[in-house]
Amino acid sequence: MFSTLDMHILEILCEDARVTPREIAVMTGSDEAQVNIAIEGLKRAGVLVGVQALINWERTDKEFVSAVIEVNVQPQREKGFDAIAQRIMQYDEVKSLYLMSGAYDLMVQCEAATLKELAQFVHSRLSVIEGVTGTSTHFMLKTYKYGGTIFEGGADDRRQAVMP
């Protein structure tokens, strides 16, 4: 269904979304018009759905709380997990939502301005959804690696080494 050019474009954009169609054309040995047509096709197909900057928010002044919430649910007849997932993903606090295998059904990555706001979200909105049978919240304390990029311990790490 997808051409070799499509797949190459996706791999390039996954590494660096700032690459221009002209640069992609050079990298793939295609012409810029072909690359633009391929990119538009990937957008129409719902494959290329957005572009985001990868930001290490911990190095900024932004204050927020992040958590991963394990959610157990009772699937709905003829709708499975999708109906509950559709409801959960509507909340602004929800940044990512995944159907999982294993000990829990859904994994919800959330963010709020304060611990109190996040607790309120879990207590008052998430856990009371019909079909949600249990939640377990894990607060994220530090990001070491995200999206394949190492955030801590890299070449610009200026922390003093600890010697035994």
Side-chain angles (χ1 to χ4, degrees):
M1 179 173 166
F2 296 100
S3 70
T4 303
L5 177 60
D6 291 334
M7 298 306 291
H8 202 169
I9 289 170
L10 292 172
E11 289 169 0
I12 291 168
L13 291 175
C14 189
E15 282 295 316
D16 185 355
R18 299 171 297 176
V19 177
T20 66
R22 176 175 289 166
E23 292 169 325
I24 293 172
V26 170
M27 296 167 80
T28 61
S30 305
D31 66 47
E32 189 174 350
Q34 281 179 297
V35 170
N36 283 320
I37 290 168
I39 289 172
E40 286 307 310
L42 291 165
K43 288 178 181 177
R44 279 192 309 277
V47 174
L48 187 56
V49 295
V51 178
Q52 294 182 334
L54 186 58
I55 300 168
N56 185 348
W57 288 108
E58 294 172 12
R59 292 191 178 208
T60 71
D61 294 334
K62 182 178 179 181
E63 294 290 329
F64 63 97
V65 177
S66 295
V68 174
I69 305 168
E70 299 172 358
V71 182
N72 286 310
V73 301
Q74 179 65 46
Q76 295 181 354
R77 183 179 212 105
E78 297 182 25
K79 295 180 183 179
F81 297 98
D82 293 346
I84 296 172
Q86 288 290 330
R87 182 139 179 228
I88 293 171
M89 74 173 78
Q90 300 306 313
Y91 292 111
D92 290 337
E93 293 88 351
V94 176
K95 301 304 175 195
S96 300
L97 175 62
Y98 304 93
L99 178 63
M100 304 296 291
S101 64
Y104 55 95
D105 302 310
L106 299 173
M107 181 177 75
V108 184
Q109 289 181 311
C110 293
E111 187 176 291
T114 65
L115 179 64
K116 184 177 182 178
E117 286 180 19
L118 194 53
Q120 185 71 23
F121 165 71
V122 175
H123 177 268
S124 299
R125 289 183 277 159
L126 180 61
S127 64
V128 297
I129 294 173
E130 185 176 344
V132 171
T133 60
T135 64
S136 179
T137 303
H138 307 274
F139 292 99
M140 296 156 85
L141 304 177
K142 183 176 183 176
T143 302
Y144 292 100
K145 186 175 183 178
Y146 178 79
T149 300
I150 296 172
F151 276 33
E152 293 294 330
D156 66 342
D157 190 353
R158 292 180 228 120
R159 293 176 292 175
Q160 183 175 4
V162 177
M163 301 300 283

